[in-house]
Amino acid sequence: MKRLFLFLFVSLIGLAPAFSQFEVDKLNATLGDEINVTKGKIVTIVGETNGKIYALANKKDKYFLNVFGSSKMNLISMKEIKMPSTAKKELNFERVELLDDKIYLIGSRYIKSKKTYVLNAFSISENGQVKQGAKRLFSVKTEKHSEKGQFFFKLSPDKKQIVVMHATIHSKKNQAHYQVRLFDKNLVRIASKNERVNFADRKNAELNIADFDVNIHGDLFVAVSESYYDKKKKKNFDNFVVFAYKKAKEYQKEIIKVDLSDNKVLNSSIMANSDNTLNLFGYYAPSKNNGKAKVGLKGVYAASIDLKDNKVININFNDFDYATKEQIIGKRKAAKDKALKPFYSIRNIIEKEDGGLLLLSESGMTIYGKTQNALVVAVTPVTYIRNEVIVTSLDRSGKTEWTRVIPKKQKASSQTLSVGLAMGAGASNGGVAMTVGASITIPLAQMGKGPEYLSFIPFYHNGELLVLFNDNAKNSGVTKVDDAKFMTRFNNSVPTVFKFDKAGNVKRIDTNGVDKNRLVVRPGVYHRKNPGHYIIYASRKSQNKLGRIILKGSQKGNATL
């Protein structure tokens, strides 16, 4: 019976191409009509509103707005997005966003003559028509193109506001600079904050803008960790603070210090709840006696802040147990209490019914190869690696209940134009290093070329967690990381599910080998409605379908993040 799970979104091509529905175990998978178009693959599912689903498709340097009906998920229209002639020059396509019921194209441009990096937004109609008149979201002065920095984006829980951050390093001034702005659904600026961090008197300094978020009340939060080594005192100083900008206080900056207890935060995620509580999660490493921090991950930390008085309610540092380390680094290293490599990023945070949380962290790397000149452009090969997933269950106080490891190895390679790679996930200059946690996402320009087949999709309801990913068919039955083989051939991959109950008991659910007629889900292309409801995209060569996967008992609707 468990093997019937393959019908989640597989073996659909042999059936009638009309609207199809399946109910297997506690999962209900519904897929729409065949998308009979040759104008590219869907790279982003923008959102759903007023009975319609909006998606972005791409083919070479062209983008198309796809409009689907919500009930049957049938394609209503597909129109090329054509920029006004005045906006075409040097515009880098960043993203398409749906704010309430308004669709926007957001693009960036570096103006060399003015040494200015700008971010513009354009309204888009349902027929793909880009309206005249750009809305300027950012205009950042920079000394040179290589230091123009990067933009990062987050939507509010109700999808009616958007937060945009810009971050960069100024070499001449020896400082890091970041700005964060909040806009409403009409892209009217609500708040704007500008921060500069000077490193002139510090050596080997590190600044990590771990995460930023906005809650349902319209309050802004930025989590920042700062580290530097004082040679005179022979000590490494690690500071971790949250900057809060609350609407009720007219967005005045409030500084909330978090005591690390001689630990260093290596990465962090924040979750702003509707109950006026801010939760922080991430990985940490203890400091050595010489003051320098260890490179590896020691465990997971969790902290809660009461925003009524900005006090840290509790903070817990949970070391990885032996079983978790053994799965990932082996018995010998685990017995010596070696740390894990710092390649993990928190991909998903799921709130449980008892007030606790599930953290899903994925091991990942992005490798840029040697740039090659091809005619008039320079091309850089890029390899994306997404490996094992650590699932951590925390109780409501932030203490670990159980930790499990999903054995997974995935790899995809593609090529990109050598533009905008200067900052990427981070930047460094003159002994100063700066990273931004939000930059782990795959650039839009790379989607549709392989990376979207990697990673996973989690489904959760009432204590049960199901994690779905594309796997190598030879990994059937594999439960240890060392035994897993890489999945590199997407069309020959098989859908695999790991199912967890409240106590952390896990079952692996495999499918019956490679099916050449089977649609392949793209975990990098989905829209999350709530923890148990996703709009997904599955395809194979020229065959494409949009669909939904809903866990029984979970209701349709927007997610509360």
Short mmCIF file of all heavy atoms in Angstrom, two decimals, residues 482-513:
data_model
loop_
_atom_site.label_atom_id
_atom_site.label_comp_id
_atom_site.label_asym_id
_atom_site.label_seq_id
_atom_site.Cartn_x
_atom_site.Cartn_y
_atom_site.Cartn_z
N ASP A 482 25.90 7.73 3.87
CA ASP A 482 27.06 7.16 3.17
C ASP A 482 26.65 6.20 2.06
O ASP A 482 27.40 6.00 1.10
CB ASP A 482 27.97 6.42 4.16
CG ASP A 482 28.78 7.37 5.01
OD1 ASP A 482 28.85 8.56 4.66
OD2 ASP A 482 29.34 6.93 6.04
N ASP A 483 25.48 5.60 2.18
CA ASP A 483 25.03 4.62 1.18
C ASP A 483 24.32 5.26 0.00
O ASP A 483 24.05 4.58 -1.00
CB ASP A 483 24.09 3.60 1.83
CG ASP A 483 24.78 2.77 2.91
OD1 ASP A 483 26.02 2.62 2.83
OD2 ASP A 483 24.10 2.30 3.84
N ALA A 484 23.99 6.55 0.08
CA ALA A 484 23.22 7.21 -0.96
C ALA A 484 24.09 7.56 -2.17
O ALA A 484 25.25 7.93 -2.03
CB ALA A 484 22.57 8.48 -0.41
N LYS A 485 23.50 7.41 -3.35
CA LYS A 485 24.15 7.79 -4.59
C LYS A 485 23.54 9.11 -5.09
O LYS A 485 22.39 9.42 -4.82
CB LYS A 485 23.99 6.69 -5.65
CG LYS A 485 24.59 5.35 -5.25
CD LYS A 485 24.40 4.33 -6.35
CE LYS A 485 24.97 2.96 -5.94
NZ LYS A 485 26.42 3.02 -5.70
N PHE A 486 24.33 9.86 -5.86
CA PHE A 486 23.87 11.16 -6.35
C PHE A 486 22.76 11.01 -7.38
O PHE A 486 22.79 10.12 -8.23
CB PHE A 486 25.02 11.94 -6.97
CG PHE A 486 25.73 12.84 -5.99
CD1 PHE A 486 26.92 12.45 -5.41
CD2 PHE A 486 25.18 14.08 -5.66
CE1 PHE A 486 27.58 13.28 -4.51
CE2 PHE A 486 25.83 14.92 -4.76
CZ PHE A 486 27.02 14.52 -4.18
N MET A 487 21.77 11.91 -7.30
CA MET A 487 20.77 12.05 -8.33
C MET A 487 21.20 13.20 -9.23
O MET A 487 21.26 14.35 -8.81
CB MET A 487 19.39 12.35 -7.71
CG MET A 487 18.22 12.35 -8.71
SD MET A 487 18.10 13.85 -9.74
CE MET A 487 17.72 15.10 -8.52
N THR A 488 21.54 12.90 -10.49
CA THR A 488 21.99 13.91 -11.44
C THR A 488 21.17 13.90 -12.73
O THR A 488 21.13 14.89 -13.44
CB THR A 488 23.47 13.71 -11.80
OG1 THR A 488 23.66 12.38 -12.32
CG2 THR A 488 24.36 13.89 -10.57
N ARG A 489 20.52 12.79 -13.02
CA ARG A 489 19.72 12.66 -14.25
C ARG A 489 18.25 12.79 -13.86
O ARG A 489 17.62 11.85 -13.39
CB ARG A 489 20.02 11.33 -14.94
CG ARG A 489 21.48 11.16 -15.32
CD ARG A 489 21.78 9.78 -15.84
NE ARG A 489 21.06 9.51 -17.09
CZ ARG A 489 21.02 8.33 -17.69
NH1 ARG A 489 21.66 7.30 -17.16
NH2 ARG A 489 20.34 8.17 -18.81
N PHE A 490 17.70 13.97 -14.06
CA PHE A 490 16.37 14.30 -13.53
C PHE A 490 15.26 13.44 -14.13
O PHE A 490 14.36 12.99 -13.41
CB PHE A 490 16.07 15.78 -13.77
CG PHE A 490 17.25 16.67 -13.49
CD1 PHE A 490 17.76 17.50 -14.47
CD2 PHE A 490 17.88 16.66 -12.26
CE1 PHE A 490 18.86 18.31 -14.23
CE2 PHE A 490 18.98 17.45 -12.01
CZ PHE A 490 19.46 18.28 -13.00
N ASN A 491 15.33 13.22 -15.43
CA ASN A 491 14.27 12.44 -16.08
C ASN A 491 14.30 10.97 -15.69
O ASN A 491 13.34 10.24 -15.93
CB ASN A 491 14.36 12.57 -17.60
CG ASN A 491 13.87 13.93 -18.08
OD1 ASN A 491 12.98 14.52 -17.48
ND2 ASN A 491 14.46 14.44 -19.15
N ASN A 492 15.41 10.53 -15.10
CA ASN A 492 15.51 9.14 -14.61
C ASN A 492 15.37 9.06 -13.09
O ASN A 492 15.63 8.02 -12.50
CB ASN A 492 16.84 8.52 -15.02
CG ASN A 492 16.90 8.25 -16.52
OD1 ASN A 492 15.88 8.01 -17.14
ND2 ASN A 492 18.09 8.31 -17.09
N SER A 493 14.98 10.18 -12.46
CA SER A 493 14.82 10.18 -11.01
C SER A 493 13.48 9.58 -10.61
O SER A 493 12.57 9.43 -11.44
CB SER A 493 14.93 11.61 -10.46
OG SER A 493 13.85 12.39 -10.93
N VAL A 494 13.36 9.24 -9.34
CA VAL A 494 12.11 8.69 -8.81
C VAL A 494 11.69 9.51 -7.59
O VAL A 494 12.54 9.95 -6.80
CB VAL A 494 12.27 7.20 -8.41
CG1 VAL A 494 12.53 6.35 -9.63
CG2 VAL A 494 13.37 7.02 -7.38
N PRO A 495 10.39 9.74 -7.41
CA PRO A 495 9.93 10.46 -6.23
C PRO A 495 10.05 9.59 -4.99
O PRO A 495 9.67 8.41 -4.99
CB PRO A 495 8.47 10.78 -6.55
CG PRO A 495 8.06 9.74 -7.53
CD PRO A 495 9.28 9.40 -8.32
N THR A 496 10.61 10.14 -3.93
CA THR A 496 10.81 9.42 -2.67
C THR A 496 10.25 10.24 -1.53
O THR A 496 10.33 11.48 -1.55
CB THR A 496 12.31 9.15 -2.44
OG1 THR A 496 12.81 8.35 -3.52
CG2 THR A 496 12.55 8.43 -1.12
N VAL A 497 9.67 9.56 -0.54
CA VAL A 497 9.07 10.24 0.61
C VAL A 497 9.59 9.65 1.91
O VAL A 497 9.72 8.43 2.04
CB VAL A 497 7.53 10.11 0.57
CG1 VAL A 497 6.91 10.66 1.85
CG2 VAL A 497 6.96 10.81 -0.64
N PHE A 498 9.95 10.54 2.84
CA PHE A 498 10.24 10.13 4.21
C PHE A 498 9.10 10.65 5.09
O PHE A 498 8.79 11.83 5.06
CB PHE A 498 11.58 10.68 4.68
CG PHE A 498 12.75 9.82 4.30
CD1 PHE A 498 13.17 9.74 2.99
CD2 PHE A 498 13.41 9.06 5.26
CE1 PHE A 498 14.24 8.93 2.63
CE2 PHE A 498 14.48 8.25 4.91
CZ PHE A 498 14.90 8.18 3.59
N LYS A 499 8.52 9.75 5.87
CA LYS A 499 7.35 10.08 6.68
C LYS A 499 7.70 9.96 8.17
O LYS A 499 8.23 8.95 8.62
CB LYS A 499 6.20 9.14 6.34
CG LYS A 499 4.89 9.45 7.03
CD LYS A 499 3.79 8.51 6.53
CE LYS A 499 2.45 8.81 7.16
NZ LYS A 499 1.39 7.90 6.65
N PHE A 500 7.41 11.04 8.93
CA PHE A 500 7.73 11.10 10.36
C PHE A 500 6.45 11.26 11.17
O PHE A 500 5.54 12.00 10.77
CB PHE A 500 8.63 12.31 10.66
CG PHE A 500 9.93 12.32 9.91
CD1 PHE A 500 9.99 12.80 8.61
CD2 PHE A 500 11.09 11.84 10.50
CE1 PHE A 500 11.19 12.83 7.91
CE2 PHE A 500 12.30 11.86 9.81
CZ PHE A 500 12.34 12.35 8.51
N ASP A 501 6.39 10.58 12.33
CA ASP A 501 5.28 10.80 13.24
C ASP A 501 5.73 11.73 14.37
O ASP A 501 6.85 12.26 14.35
CB ASP A 501 4.72 9.48 13.79
CG ASP A 501 5.74 8.71 14.65
OD1 ASP A 501 6.77 9.31 15.04
OD2 ASP A 501 5.49 7.52 14.93
N LYS A 502 4.86 11.96 15.35
CA LYS A 502 5.15 12.92 16.42
C LYS A 502 6.40 12.54 17.20
O LYS A 502 7.13 13.41 17.68
CB LYS A 502 3.96 13.01 17.37
CG LYS A 502 2.73 13.65 16.78
CD LYS A 502 1.61 13.72 17.81
CE LYS A 502 0.37 14.37 17.21
NZ LYS A 502 -0.74 14.44 18.19
N ALA A 503 6.65 11.23 17.36
CA ALA A 503 7.78 10.77 18.16
C ALA A 503 9.08 10.70 17.37
O ALA A 503 10.12 10.36 17.92
CB ALA A 503 7.47 9.41 18.76
N GLY A 504 9.03 11.00 16.08
CA GLY A 504 10.23 10.95 15.26
C GLY A 504 10.46 9.62 14.59
O GLY A 504 11.49 9.43 13.93
N ASN A 505 9.52 8.69 14.71
CA ASN A 505 9.64 7.42 13.99
C ASN A 505 9.50 7.72 12.50
O ASN A 505 8.63 8.48 12.06
CB ASN A 505 8.55 6.45 14.44
CG ASN A 505 8.68 6.08 15.90
OD1 ASN A 505 9.75 5.74 16.38
ND2 ASN A 505 7.58 6.19 16.64
N VAL A 506 10.37 7.09 11.71
CA VAL A 506 10.44 7.44 10.30
C VAL A 506 10.27 6.22 9.41
O VAL A 506 10.71 5.11 9.75
CB VAL A 506 11.78 8.15 9.98
CG1 VAL A 506 12.98 7.27 10.35
CG2 VAL A 506 11.85 8.56 8.52
N LYS A 507 9.60 6.41 8.27
CA LYS A 507 9.45 5.37 7.26
C LYS A 507 9.85 5.95 5.90
O LYS A 507 9.48 7.06 5.56
CB LYS A 507 8.01 4.89 7.18
CG LYS A 507 7.54 4.12 8.40
CD LYS A 507 6.12 3.62 8.21
CE LYS A 507 5.65 2.83 9.43
NZ LYS A 507 4.26 2.34 9.26
N ARG A 508 10.62 5.19 5.17
CA ARG A 508 10.97 5.57 3.81
C ARG A 508 9.99 4.91 2.85
O ARG A 508 9.71 3.72 2.95
CB ARG A 508 12.40 5.14 3.48
CG ARG A 508 12.78 5.48 2.04
CD ARG A 508 14.18 5.06 1.66
NE ARG A 508 14.38 5.35 0.24
CZ ARG A 508 15.36 6.08 -0.25
NH1 ARG A 508 16.27 6.60 0.56
NH2 ARG A 508 15.45 6.31 -1.54
N ILE A 509 9.44 5.71 1.91
CA ILE A 509 8.47 5.20 0.95
C ILE A 509 9.06 5.37 -0.45
O ILE A 509 9.26 6.49 -0.92
CB ILE A 509 7.13 5.95 1.07
CG1 ILE A 509 6.60 5.85 2.49
CG2 ILE A 509 6.11 5.41 0.08
CD1 ILE A 509 5.42 6.75 2.77
N ASP A 510 9.37 4.26 -1.10
CA ASP A 510 9.98 4.27 -2.42
C ASP A 510 8.96 3.94 -3.50
O ASP A 510 7.91 3.35 -3.23
CB ASP A 510 11.13 3.26 -2.50
CG ASP A 510 12.32 3.67 -1.65
OD1 ASP A 510 12.88 4.75 -1.91
OD2 ASP A 510 12.69 2.90 -0.74
N THR A 511 9.27 4.33 -4.73
CA THR A 511 8.46 3.98 -5.88
C THR A 511 9.13 2.85 -6.66
O THR A 511 10.29 2.54 -6.44
CB THR A 511 8.26 5.20 -6.79
OG1 THR A 511 9.54 5.74 -7.11
CG2 THR A 511 7.45 6.27 -6.07
N ASN A 512 8.39 2.29 -7.59
CA ASN A 512 8.88 1.10 -8.29
C ASN A 512 9.71 1.44 -9.51
O ASN A 512 9.31 1.23 -10.65
CB ASN A 512 7.69 0.22 -8.71
CG ASN A 512 6.98 -0.37 -7.51
OD1 ASN A 512 7.62 -0.81 -6.56
ND2 ASN A 512 5.66 -0.36 -7.54
N GLY A 513 10.88 2.02 -9.29
CA GLY A 513 11.82 2.23 -10.38
C GLY A 513 11.47 3.37 -11.31
O GLY A 513 10.50 4.10 -11.12
#
